[in-house]
Structure formats: C-alpha cells, structure tokens
Amino acid sequence: MTLLPFAVTVWLFLVGLYGVATSRNTIHLVSCLFVAQSSTYVLLLSIGYRKGGTAPIVDKLPSGAPLVDPVVQSLALTDIVVGATVSALILICALQAHKKGGTLDPRRETPMRG
Amino acid sequence: MSGRLRVILFLAAAAAFGWGLLDALAGIPPFGDYRGPYGDVVLQTMGELRHTQQGVAAVTFDYRGFDTLGEEFILFAAVAGALLLMRRQPSEKERGAHDQAPGHPAARIGPACRVSGLIMFPFTLLLGIYVVLHGHLSPGGGFQGGVLLASAFYFVYLSGEFEDLASFVKEHPVELTESAGAAAFALLAAIPLLLGEPCMKNILPFGEKGELLSSGMLPLFNIAVGIEVGAGFLLLVHAFLKQVLLIRKEGKK
C-alpha cells in the first residue's frame, strides 16, 4: 500500500511515454505528453502527504492537527502552468505543420525550412 | 523503423527504466510518512510572520515568490510566442466565421444553450473574481481564478457566435491587460528595491489574519497573476478559434 502512489507514478509516466513513442497524430501525442507529465503531480503530492493530514489551510483548525506539505503543492501548481503553456505551443506547431504539409502524423511530416 | 521494432525497443527501455525508477522511489520515505523539514517550517511560521492561513499561497507568492516571478514570465513568453506563431501568414486570408468541414452547415445554437450560457457568464466571472481575491484565505489564487475568468468568456462563444467573443478581444484592449498584469507583478516585486530593501520584501501592513485585507502584499500578487492568466488564456482561445474559423489558405474557398 505504501508503494502504490509510486507505482501509479511510474505507470502514468510509462503509459504516457508509450503513447508519445507510438503516436501517429500530433494532437494525440500532446495528450500523451500531458499524461506522462501528470505522473509528476502524483509524485509531488504523494511525497508531501502525511497520514491523516488535511489541506494546509489553518483556518479554524485546532493547532497541532496534521497538515500536508504546502511546498510540494506549490511546485505542482508551477508544474501545471508550465505543462499547459508547453501543450499550447506544441499544438500551434502541429497546426502550422498541418497547414504546410497536410498531415498530422509526426512521422510523415516533411522537414521544415526556415 | 518499423512500428513493431519501435514498440519492442520502447518496451525493453521502459521496463529497465520503470524498474529503476520504482526501485529509487521505494527508497524514499514511505507514503504518508512525511519528514519535512520545509513544509513544517512554512506551516509553523506563516501565521506569525506572514499573517496568512493558506499555506500554498504563502509558499507560491511569499516564500517562493521569486520563483513565481519567473513562472509568470514563462506564461507571458508562451502566450506571446503562441500569438506570434498564430498570426496570419501572407499566403492566408481571413473570411467570415464558418465551420471548416466541407458540407457542414454552421451549427445552430438552441435557445436553451444560449440562455444557459448567458446565465453562466456572469456567475463564472464572479466566481473567478472571488477565487482571485480570496487566494490567501481559501483554496485558489491568481492562477486558478485567472483560468476561471478566461473560461467565463468560453460561455460567450458557446452561447453565441465567434464574433461575440472577438468583439471582447477587439474592443477591449485584452493584450494591454495581460501585459499590465505581468508588469504589475514585476513592479510590485521591484518596489521594495527602491526603498533599499530586498526584492519582494513585504512593505505593507500585515493586517488581521483571516481578513480579506491581510497577508501584506500577497493579495496584490494574486490579483496581478489573476489578471495576467485570465487575459492570456482569453487571447489564446481567441487565437485558436480564429485559426479554426477564420483563416484559410489563399485560393481555397
């Protein structure tokens, strides 16, 4: 049971990577990349978890109540923002490549010249 | 490389990598047995030093505030890059908003969809503003509230025409708003420098813990980020929809 979150992390990462490696569609590839990236959210949050802990907001909580680590939650927030922007940029590159080459298959796209 | 060889190569590499990763993760403290120390230090000091009750906001905008400054400019640069890449090429032209698929008449919006969109728009906007303003008291903050603010405008598109959304972006200077949000964060961070203090040092009174006006400059950072994220995502969705609906290659109908 204590290994389960870490096993989920590894599983999510590898499943996402499998999708990236075998993808025939750039939009599908971006989704797979996001799956692989969400493994980092699971890892960050499970590192900061404390048994019986609640969210790190101390409003009306008795002092001494177990709280989870806010630092890793903040890192997960950064992670999500960066992931969203990276996805947006790859999607735009896919869109422009589709306009130029007429295909979304990353293996059949013609090389671009600047 | 054939598809089968690719999969076999991937599976072999993934098995080795996955085994190593799992082995490494099994060596860190087990799940639920948090040993700190940084989280505990933050939780113990944020009430006294920062008059803040929300740990995540305290870390994001205060303890790790300088990182968030960089993160915010990652977002700004990404939106700017996205808009640059999506500008209309010389070989393309704009035309009226139509569905791209040939033989596909423009979808008609039913009255139920229109009414529910009109109802959802102000309430989503209000919820976004609430989440941004209460970021230092309850779950949420500038990033989360900003995304809510942008999604309020999705309802404008869903319940109307693309032009309705476009008029928001055209008539109201959304680009300026986004830049203003990013600039406000940087200026807020730089003001203490003018007073001879370290960057991002709090210069406002802390106030009563749990009040709306508390935690020093933290709510101001939240508002700056909320404005930037909201305007940035609105610009992104507008640019994507414009690509799909308006821009065509020259010569094609």
Side-chain angles (χ1 to χ4, degrees):
Chain A
M1 181 58 204
T2 57
L3 209 58
L4 184 66
F6 303 134
V8 171
T9 302
V10 176
W11 171 248
L12 272 178
F13 188 79
L14 291 181
V15 161
L17 219 55
Y18 174 80
V20 172
T22 61
S23 178
R24 306 302 303 262
N25 182 317
T26 319
I27 294 171
H28 171 255
L29 191 148
V30 174
S31 314
C32 294
L33 191 66
F34 219 98
V35 170
Q37 204 200 356
S38 46
S39 69
T40 58
Y41 313 153
V42 177
L43 180 63
L44 279 171
L45 296 182
S46 54
I47 285 175
Y49 182 70
R50 170 175 282 153
K51 200 158 273 176
T54 52
I57 298 166
V58 291
D59 183 28
K60 294 176 192 117
L61 272 179
S63 62
L67 296 170
V68 300
D69 182 1
V71 178
V72 287
Q73 298 207 2
S74 174
L75 287 176
L77 178 63
T78 308
D79 203 351
I80 292 168
V81 173
V82 173
T85 54
V86 166
S87 304
L89 279 176
I90 301 176
L91 282 175
I92 292 159
C93 292
L95 194 103
Q96 299 292 18
H98 180 258
K99 273 195 217 161
K100 287 255 157 56
T103 175
L104 273 175
D105 188 343
R107 280 180 240 174
R108 281 197 289 152
E109 264 162 22
T110 47
M112 283 197 186
R113 288 188 197 85
Chain B
M1 199 189 324
S2 76
R4 175 169 294 202
L5 183 64
R6 182 185 279 257
V7 172
I8 291 171
L9 203 63
F10 172 80
L11 287 180
F17 177 74
W19 183 81
L21 189 60
L22 198 62
D23 193 45
L25 290 177
I28 65 177
F31 180 63
D33 182 20
Y34 177 70
R35 289 179 195 169
Y38 300 110
D40 289 331
V41 171
V42 169
L43 289 169
Q44 277 162 18
T45 56
M46 69 182 185
E48 266 173 59
L49 295 180
R50 305 282 103 188
H51 294 223
T52 307
Q53 59 183 23
Q54 218 267 55
V56 184
V59 173
T60 309
F61 293 104
D62 207 314
Y63 292 85
R64 260 186 70 235
F66 199 65
D67 290 357
T68 309
L69 183 66
E71 176 192 354
E72 207 218 12
F73 280 108
I74 291 176
L75 187 78
F76 186 76
V79 172
L83 296 179
L84 187 72
L85 283 171
M86 279 199 282
R87 74 199 185 283
R88 188 165 60 89
Q89 308 289 318
S91 62
E92 293 167 347
K93 61 176 178 185
E94 278 186 37
R95 36 156 238 177
H98 285 294
D99 207 311
Q100 190 172 19
H104 211 268
R108 295 197 43 178
I109 297 135
C113 182
R114 203 175 281 266
V115 168
S116 49
L118 285 178
I119 295 173
M120 288 301 283
F121 172 65
F123 283 106
T124 315
L125 215 53
L126 201 64
L127 182 67
I129 293 168
Y130 169 83
V131 169
V132 170
L133 289 183
H134 290 74
H136 57 298
L137 302 175
S138 57
F143 289 104
Q144 298 89 328
V147 174
L148 271 172
L149 286 177
S151 45
F153 290 93
Y154 296 3
F155 285 112
V156 175
Y157 168 68
L158 287 177
S159 66
E161 303 289 332
F162 173 72
E163 276 83 6
D164 298 338
L165 180 73
S167 69
F168 270 106
V169 178
K170 265 185 218 144
E171 287 164 22
H172 309 277
V174 179
E175 283 156 2
L176 282 181
T177 313
E178 199 224 353
S179 313
F185 196 109
L187 286 178
L188 280 171
I191 285 173
L193 291 176
L194 300 176
L195 304 173
E197 302 276 1
C199 182
M200 288 195 88
K201 185 174 179 358
N202 184 63
I203 49 168
L204 290 178
F206 279 117
E208 189 75 23
K209 188 175 131 186
E211 297 284 316
L212 188 59
L213 291 175
S214 67
S215 315
M217 307 215 301
L218 211 154
L220 294 179
F221 284 124
N222 255 330
I223 292 170
V225 167
I227 291 171
E228 197 215 334
V229 172
F233 273 76
L234 178 58
L235 284 176
L236 271 187
V237 75
H238 173 254
F240 267 109
L241 285 172
K242 202 170 146 191
Q243 283 287 335
V244 175
L245 296 171
L246 293 191
I247 290 182
R248 292 290 171 276
K249 264 188 197 164
E250 193 80 59
K252 266 192 199 168
K253 246 191 168 183

